[in-house]
Amino acid sequence: MRGWIEKGFDNLEAVKFLDELSDDVRRAIADMGYEEATPIQAAAIPPILEGKDVIGQAQTGTGKTAAFGIPLVESLDPTVREVQALVLCPTRELALQTAGELKKLSRYRRGLSILPVYGGAPIERQMRALRDGVQVVVGTPGRVMDHMRRGTVDFSGIHVVVLDEADEMLDMGFRDDIQTILEGTPEDRQTVLFSATMPRPILNLAKRYQKNPMHIEIAHKEMTVEKIDQSYISVRSFHKVELLSRLLVRDDIHLALVFCNTKKCVEEVVTQLQARGFTAAGLHGDMRQIERDAIMARYRQGSVAVLVATDVAARGLDIENIEAVFNYDVPQDVEYYVHRIGRTGRAGKAGKAYTFVVGREVARMWEYRKITGARILCEQAPTGEALLSVQRERLMEKIRSSAGNERNEQTLEMARTLLGEFEHPEQAVAAMMDMLLAAEGSRADASIDLRIVEPPRQPRPAAPQWQRRGPQPVKGAQGAARPAGRSWDERRDGWRDRGNRPYKPRAEYGGRRSK
């Protein structure tokens, strides 16, 4: 396809499908700034364009929305005001993100309407939009089932159904809803399924509802984002917030995403970060949709610097310019680890991912490193002195860069008066720098020692005398030394050979030695 080829993508075999796309779709792709097709896009788009059923195994962040979105938008008829395509997503966030991507791809195709439907939003608005006519419905299984029960949606004209993050939907208990929805669509539809993992329930679903599907699998080494610097840090559980604060200050991070395993942990971390002066907010499943939308809007605008979330945010959040991801708690499996760190390093940009491990959790990081083949380094917690050194250097650089800017006369007069009051002017400058460092350093306590000190190795206890190797003590009535290849038997008070037979001197056997 020309848009990607002009931007330097030279794999012509992988992008021949571009010539089959309309000019409107190609213009939209060029506007979105795609520089090259990802492996899942190059492999999945051609068979989907041909109308084949496809099973795509790929992680979040690999571009699979465009992998099914490009052929889906291409196949729509703008003149027909009925539902022609259905995309099912596990979460509201992912449904909104997917609908947004499809709207970008259909920007120049006039007459196309894409509607996201999900719980927590007024259903009356969705019902009005469905009555007016839409070509694509992107929704969660629960809300789609609600519309089916109310009779407010007609799926008789659907020709393609997409199951995005199918494994997550099954884990969330949507199996029966998915089956009911698929049985309510025409049998001759095209069914496209994307999933990060392929457990048996997914394969059973594909076998039942797909026709000779093409299986496309992207290897783990291709799914891991290479431009993310990954590391893990050993820390005590009660020092995690301090470690998080030091890393945020040291790396001067302005947009961060912190993952916790529980809702309670999210609330605790947000409270402690806010007490330290960070603009932090939490996101978890118990929050109302209006609250979630407000927090995400503030996060996208940059008014919230640190978003603390459970894994509900691991799939579906598409925020640009996230500088670092922090695994405050170690994820329960490698798939969630990849999903979490995939939130940074987007669009070819570099990113950082830190994981906090406590005690034996380090073994899990070794396992994740082995499975993903990623370069996950062991890093030491930054010391208080190192943190202060970075802050001093950053402050001096800011002063140097702004010293050449114009100042008003009042400010200059204040500076002259202040410096004139000191015999040593550097004392005034040092006092101002200390004040600025104190304001910055209040968010992290440099006096706390975060290092994990290994306990000294204790000497191995001495083995019992009869287990020791080497020369044995002199035994026997004759006071004779231990014969070669013999050991002393404490219970029988005598020498024994290797076969545990009693040893007797040669003279007692007529000059023969026992074997």
Side-chain angles (χ1 to χ4, degrees), residues 3 87 174 187 192 298 331 363 386 414 438 445-446 471 485 493 495:
V87 182
F174 290 132
E187 293 186 1
V192 179
R298 292 169 56 203
M414 288 175 60
D445 190 350
D493 193 28
W495 296 108

mmCIF file with all atom_site columns, all heavy atoms in Angstrom, residues 3 87 174 187 192 298 331 363 386 414 438 445-446 471 485 493 495:
data_model
loop_
_atom_site.group_PDB
_atom_site.id
_atom_site.type_symbol
_atom_site.label_atom_id
_atom_site.label_alt_id
_atom_site.label_comp_id
_atom_site.label_asym_id
_atom_site.label_entity_id
_atom_site.label_seq_id
_atom_site.pdbx_PDB_ins_code
_atom_site.Cartn_x
_atom_site.Cartn_y
_atom_site.Cartn_z
_atom_site.occupancy
_atom_site.B_iso_or_equiv
_atom_site.pdbx_formal_charge
_atom_site.auth_seq_id
_atom_site.auth_comp_id
_atom_site.auth_asym_id
_atom_site.auth_atom_id
_atom_site.pdbx_PDB_model_num
ATOM 1   N N   . GLY A 1 3   ? 0.626   4.417   1.080  1.00 0.00 ? 3   GLY A N   1
ATOM 2   C CA  . GLY A 1 3   ? 0.887   5.261   2.238  1.00 0.00 ? 3   GLY A CA  1
ATOM 3   C C   . GLY A 1 3   ? 2.074   4.788   3.044  1.00 0.00 ? 3   GLY A C   1
ATOM 4   O O   . GLY A 1 3   ? 2.950   5.562   3.410  1.00 0.00 ? 3   GLY A O   1
ATOM 5   N N   . VAL A 1 87  ? -18.508 -5.497  16.606 1.00 0.00 ? 87  VAL A N   1
ATOM 6   C CA  . VAL A 1 87  ? -17.227 -5.728  17.282 1.00 0.00 ? 87  VAL A CA  1
ATOM 7   C C   . VAL A 1 87  ? -17.502 -5.847  18.779 1.00 0.00 ? 87  VAL A C   1
ATOM 8   O O   . VAL A 1 87  ? -18.037 -4.914  19.384 1.00 0.00 ? 87  VAL A O   1
ATOM 9   C CB  . VAL A 1 87  ? -16.223 -4.585  17.016 1.00 0.00 ? 87  VAL A CB  1
ATOM 10  C CG1 . VAL A 1 87  ? -14.886 -4.891  17.697 1.00 0.00 ? 87  VAL A CG1 1
ATOM 11  C CG2 . VAL A 1 87  ? -16.019 -4.390  15.516 1.00 0.00 ? 87  VAL A CG2 1
ATOM 12  N N   . PHE A 1 174 ? -18.380 -13.901 30.084 1.00 0.00 ? 174 PHE A N   1
ATOM 13  C CA  . PHE A 1 174 ? -19.271 -13.534 28.986 1.00 0.00 ? 174 PHE A CA  1
ATOM 14  C C   . PHE A 1 174 ? -19.500 -14.680 27.992 1.00 0.00 ? 174 PHE A C   1
ATOM 15  O O   . PHE A 1 174 ? -19.987 -14.427 26.891 1.00 0.00 ? 174 PHE A O   1
ATOM 16  C CB  . PHE A 1 174 ? -18.715 -12.321 28.220 1.00 0.00 ? 174 PHE A CB  1
ATOM 17  C CG  . PHE A 1 174 ? -18.778 -11.033 28.991 1.00 0.00 ? 174 PHE A CG  1
ATOM 18  C CD1 . PHE A 1 174 ? -17.682 -10.192 29.069 1.00 0.00 ? 174 PHE A CD1 1
ATOM 19  C CD2 . PHE A 1 174 ? -19.942 -10.656 29.629 1.00 0.00 ? 174 PHE A CD2 1
ATOM 20  C CE1 . PHE A 1 174 ? -17.742 -9.002  29.766 1.00 0.00 ? 174 PHE A CE1 1
ATOM 21  C CE2 . PHE A 1 174 ? -20.019 -9.466  30.335 1.00 0.00 ? 174 PHE A CE2 1
ATOM 22  C CZ  . PHE A 1 174 ? -18.914 -8.638  30.404 1.00 0.00 ? 174 PHE A CZ  1
ATOM 23  N N   . GLU A 1 187 ? -25.836 -16.935 9.676  1.00 0.00 ? 187 GLU A N   1
ATOM 24  C CA  . GLU A 1 187 ? -24.862 -18.028 9.671  1.00 0.00 ? 187 GLU A CA  1
ATOM 25  C C   . GLU A 1 187 ? -23.764 -17.815 8.631  1.00 0.00 ? 187 GLU A C   1
ATOM 26  O O   . GLU A 1 187 ? -22.662 -18.350 8.776  1.00 0.00 ? 187 GLU A O   1
ATOM 27  C CB  . GLU A 1 187 ? -25.567 -19.357 9.407  1.00 0.00 ? 187 GLU A CB  1
ATOM 28  C CG  . GLU A 1 187 ? -26.493 -19.791 10.544 1.00 0.00 ? 187 GLU A CG  1
ATOM 29  C CD  . GLU A 1 187 ? -27.066 -21.171 10.305 1.00 0.00 ? 187 GLU A CD  1
ATOM 30  O OE1 . GLU A 1 187 ? -26.721 -21.780 9.259  1.00 0.00 ? 187 GLU A OE1 1
ATOM 31  O OE2 . GLU A 1 187 ? -27.861 -21.642 11.138 1.00 0.00 ? 187 GLU A OE2 1
ATOM 32  N N   . VAL A 1 192 ? -14.217 -13.060 12.863 1.00 0.00 ? 192 VAL A N   1
ATOM 33  C CA  . VAL A 1 192 ? -12.798 -12.794 13.111 1.00 0.00 ? 192 VAL A CA  1
ATOM 34  C C   . VAL A 1 192 ? -12.582 -12.770 14.623 1.00 0.00 ? 192 VAL A C   1
ATOM 35  O O   . VAL A 1 192 ? -13.305 -12.071 15.337 1.00 0.00 ? 192 VAL A O   1
ATOM 36  C CB  . VAL A 1 192 ? -12.357 -11.458 12.481 1.00 0.00 ? 192 VAL A CB  1
ATOM 37  C CG1 . VAL A 1 192 ? -10.890 -11.181 12.778 1.00 0.00 ? 192 VAL A CG1 1
ATOM 38  C CG2 . VAL A 1 192 ? -12.605 -11.482 10.977 1.00 0.00 ? 192 VAL A CG2 1
ATOM 39  N N   . ARG A 1 298 ? -8.842  13.960  32.529 1.00 0.00 ? 298 ARG A N   1
ATOM 40  C CA  . ARG A 1 298 ? -7.779  14.708  33.210 1.00 0.00 ? 298 ARG A CA  1
ATOM 41  C C   . ARG A 1 298 ? -6.416  14.104  32.931 1.00 0.00 ? 298 ARG A C   1
ATOM 42  O O   . ARG A 1 298 ? -5.413  14.810  32.787 1.00 0.00 ? 298 ARG A O   1
ATOM 43  C CB  . ARG A 1 298 ? -8.052  14.724  34.714 1.00 0.00 ? 298 ARG A CB  1
ATOM 44  C CG  . ARG A 1 298 ? -9.277  15.533  35.118 1.00 0.00 ? 298 ARG A CG  1
ATOM 45  C CD  . ARG A 1 298 ? -9.644  15.277  36.562 1.00 0.00 ? 298 ARG A CD  1
ATOM 46  N NE  . ARG A 1 298 ? -8.523  15.557  37.445 1.00 0.00 ? 298 ARG A NE  1
ATOM 47  C CZ  . ARG A 1 298 ? -8.385  15.035  38.657 1.00 0.00 ? 298 ARG A CZ  1
ATOM 48  N NH1 . ARG A 1 298 ? -9.295  14.187  39.116 1.00 0.00 ? 298 ARG A NH1 1
ATOM 49  N NH2 . ARG A 1 298 ? -7.350  15.354  39.410 1.00 0.00 ? 298 ARG A NH2 1
ATOM 50  N N   . PRO A 1 331 ? 2.518   -8.776  38.346 1.00 0.00 ? 331 PRO A N   1
ATOM 51  C CA  . PRO A 1 331 ? 1.328   -9.377  37.726 1.00 0.00 ? 331 PRO A CA  1
ATOM 52  C C   . PRO A 1 331 ? 1.308   -10.885 37.910 1.00 0.00 ? 331 PRO A C   1
ATOM 53  O O   . PRO A 1 331 ? 2.352   -11.531 38.050 1.00 0.00 ? 331 PRO A O   1
ATOM 54  C CB  . PRO A 1 331 ? 1.457   -8.986  36.246 1.00 0.00 ? 331 PRO A CB  1
ATOM 55  C CG  . PRO A 1 331 ? 2.902   -8.645  36.055 1.00 0.00 ? 331 PRO A CG  1
ATOM 56  C CD  . PRO A 1 331 ? 3.391   -8.115  37.360 1.00 0.00 ? 331 PRO A CD  1
ATOM 57  N N   . ALA A 1 363 ? 11.811  -14.665 41.540 1.00 0.00 ? 363 ALA A N   1
ATOM 58  C CA  . ALA A 1 363 ? 11.798  -15.873 40.701 1.00 0.00 ? 363 ALA A CA  1
ATOM 59  C C   . ALA A 1 363 ? 10.771  -15.754 39.587 1.00 0.00 ? 363 ALA A C   1
ATOM 60  O O   . ALA A 1 363 ? 10.963  -16.282 38.486 1.00 0.00 ? 363 ALA A O   1
ATOM 61  C CB  . ALA A 1 363 ? 11.517  -17.097 41.567 1.00 0.00 ? 363 ALA A CB  1
ATOM 62  N N   . ALA A 1 386 ? 22.155  9.606   45.753 1.00 0.00 ? 386 ALA A N   1
ATOM 63  C CA  . ALA A 1 386 ? 22.036  9.641   44.294 1.00 0.00 ? 386 ALA A CA  1
ATOM 64  C C   . ALA A 1 386 ? 20.847  10.491  43.860 1.00 0.00 ? 386 ALA A C   1
ATOM 65  O O   . ALA A 1 386 ? 20.909  11.226  42.868 1.00 0.00 ? 386 ALA A O   1
ATOM 66  C CB  . ALA A 1 386 ? 21.899  8.224   43.750 1.00 0.00 ? 386 ALA A CB  1
ATOM 67  N N   . MET A 1 414 ? 15.687  43.476  43.005 1.00 0.00 ? 414 MET A N   1
ATOM 68  C CA  . MET A 1 414 ? 15.618  42.605  44.175 1.00 0.00 ? 414 MET A CA  1
ATOM 69  C C   . MET A 1 414 ? 16.880  41.753  44.286 1.00 0.00 ? 414 MET A C   1
ATOM 70  O O   . MET A 1 414 ? 17.436  41.565  45.377 1.00 0.00 ? 414 MET A O   1
ATOM 71  C CB  . MET A 1 414 ? 14.386  41.705  44.100 1.00 0.00 ? 414 MET A CB  1
ATOM 72  C CG  . MET A 1 414 ? 13.066  42.414  44.333 1.00 0.00 ? 414 MET A CG  1
ATOM 73  S SD  . MET A 1 414 ? 11.653  41.306  44.086 1.00 0.00 ? 414 MET A SD  1
ATOM 74  C CE  . MET A 1 414 ? 11.996  40.060  45.312 1.00 0.00 ? 414 MET A CE  1
ATOM 75  N N   . ALA A 1 438 ? 14.465  21.661  48.648 1.00 0.00 ? 438 ALA A N   1
ATOM 76  C CA  . ALA A 1 438 ? 13.578  21.196  49.713 1.00 0.00 ? 438 ALA A CA  1
ATOM 77  C C   . ALA A 1 438 ? 12.150  21.026  49.206 1.00 0.00 ? 438 ALA A C   1
ATOM 78  O O   . ALA A 1 438 ? 11.450  20.074  49.562 1.00 0.00 ? 438 ALA A O   1
ATOM 79  C CB  . ALA A 1 438 ? 13.617  22.175  50.887 1.00 0.00 ? 438 ALA A CB  1
ATOM 80  N N   . ASP A 1 445 ? 11.675  10.915  50.527 1.00 0.00 ? 445 ASP A N   1
ATOM 81  C CA  . ASP A 1 445 ? 12.478  11.003  51.739 1.00 0.00 ? 445 ASP A CA  1
ATOM 82  C C   . ASP A 1 445 ? 13.829  10.349  51.494 1.00 0.00 ? 445 ASP A C   1
ATOM 83  O O   . ASP A 1 445 ? 13.941  9.125   51.467 1.00 0.00 ? 445 ASP A O   1
ATOM 84  C CB  . ASP A 1 445 ? 11.750  10.331  52.899 1.00 0.00 ? 445 ASP A CB  1
ATOM 85  C CG  . ASP A 1 445 ? 12.424  10.599  54.236 1.00 0.00 ? 445 ASP A CG  1
ATOM 86  O OD1 . ASP A 1 445 ? 13.551  11.139  54.230 1.00 0.00 ? 445 ASP A OD1 1
ATOM 87  O OD2 . ASP A 1 445 ? 11.836  10.263  55.272 1.00 0.00 ? 445 ASP A OD2 1
ATOM 88  N N   . ALA A 1 446 ? 14.854  11.182  51.302 1.00 0.00 ? 446 ALA A N   1
ATOM 89  C CA  . ALA A 1 446 ? 16.181  10.650  50.974 1.00 0.00 ? 446 ALA A CA  1
ATOM 90  C C   . ALA A 1 446 ? 16.851  9.989   52.163 1.00 0.00 ? 446 ALA A C   1
ATOM 91  O O   . ALA A 1 446 ? 17.870  9.310   51.999 1.00 0.00 ? 446 ALA A O   1
ATOM 92  C CB  . ALA A 1 446 ? 17.076  11.779  50.437 1.00 0.00 ? 446 ALA A CB  1
ATOM 93  N N   . PRO A 1 471 ? 40.574  -38.866 57.299 1.00 0.00 ? 471 PRO A N   1
ATOM 94  C CA  . PRO A 1 471 ? 41.070  -39.870 58.253 1.00 0.00 ? 471 PRO A CA  1
ATOM 95  C C   . PRO A 1 471 ? 40.134  -40.013 59.442 1.00 0.00 ? 471 PRO A C   1
ATOM 96  O O   . PRO A 1 471 ? 39.613  -39.037 59.971 1.00 0.00 ? 471 PRO A O   1
ATOM 97  C CB  . PRO A 1 471 ? 42.430  -39.311 58.678 1.00 0.00 ? 471 PRO A CB  1
ATOM 98  C CG  . PRO A 1 471 ? 42.800  -38.351 57.597 1.00 0.00 ? 471 PRO A CG  1
ATOM 99  C CD  . PRO A 1 471 ? 41.528  -37.788 57.082 1.00 0.00 ? 471 PRO A CD  1
ATOM 100 N N   . GLY A 1 485 ? 39.925  -48.176 52.819 1.00 0.00 ? 485 GLY A N   1
ATOM 101 C CA  . GLY A 1 485 ? 38.607  -48.576 52.327 1.00 0.00 ? 485 GLY A CA  1
ATOM 102 C C   . GLY A 1 485 ? 37.678  -49.067 53.404 1.00 0.00 ? 485 GLY A C   1
ATOM 103 O O   . GLY A 1 485 ? 36.652  -49.678 53.098 1.00 0.00 ? 485 GLY A O   1
ATOM 104 N N   . ASP A 1 493 ? 31.042  -51.438 67.105 1.00 0.00 ? 493 ASP A N   1
ATOM 105 C CA  . ASP A 1 493 ? 32.362  -51.201 67.673 1.00 0.00 ? 493 ASP A CA  1
ATOM 106 C C   . ASP A 1 493 ? 33.430  -52.001 66.906 1.00 0.00 ? 493 ASP A C   1
ATOM 107 O O   . ASP A 1 493 ? 34.201  -52.779 67.476 1.00 0.00 ? 493 ASP A O   1
ATOM 108 C CB  . ASP A 1 493 ? 32.401  -51.581 69.158 1.00 0.00 ? 493 ASP A CB  1
ATOM 109 C CG  . ASP A 1 493 ? 33.670  -51.039 69.828 1.00 0.00 ? 493 ASP A CG  1
ATOM 110 O OD1 . ASP A 1 493 ? 34.172  -50.001 69.350 1.00 0.00 ? 493 ASP A OD1 1
ATOM 111 O OD2 . ASP A 1 493 ? 34.125  -51.660 70.803 1.00 0.00 ? 493 ASP A OD2 1
ATOM 112 N N   . TRP A 1 495 ? 35.529  -52.282 62.671 1.00 0.00 ? 495 TRP A N   1
ATOM 113 C CA  . TRP A 1 495 ? 35.706  -51.821 61.290 1.00 0.00 ? 495 TRP A CA  1
ATOM 114 C C   . TRP A 1 495 ? 34.805  -52.611 60.356 1.00 0.00 ? 495 TRP A C   1
ATOM 115 O O   . TRP A 1 495 ? 34.573  -53.796 60.538 1.00 0.00 ? 495 TRP A O   1
ATOM 116 C CB  . TRP A 1 495 ? 37.164  -51.990 60.853 1.00 0.00 ? 495 TRP A CB  1
ATOM 117 C CG  . TRP A 1 495 ? 38.145  -51.156 61.623 1.00 0.00 ? 495 TRP A CG  1
ATOM 118 C CD1 . TRP A 1 495 ? 39.041  -51.603 62.549 1.00 0.00 ? 495 TRP A CD1 1
ATOM 119 C CD2 . TRP A 1 495 ? 38.317  -49.757 61.521 1.00 0.00 ? 495 TRP A CD2 1
ATOM 120 N NE1 . TRP A 1 495 ? 39.776  -50.567 63.054 1.00 0.00 ? 495 TRP A NE1 1
ATOM 121 C CE2 . TRP A 1 495 ? 39.356  -49.406 62.436 1.00 0.00 ? 495 TRP A CE2 1
ATOM 122 C CE3 . TRP A 1 495 ? 37.727  -48.734 60.776 1.00 0.00 ? 495 TRP A CE3 1
ATOM 123 C CZ2 . TRP A 1 495 ? 39.798  -48.108 62.605 1.00 0.00 ? 495 TRP A CZ2 1
ATOM 124 C CZ3 . TRP A 1 495 ? 38.163  -47.450 60.942 1.00 0.00 ? 495 TRP A CZ3 1
ATOM 125 C CH2 . TRP A 1 495 ? 39.177  -47.141 61.852 1.00 0.00 ? 495 TRP A CH2 1
#
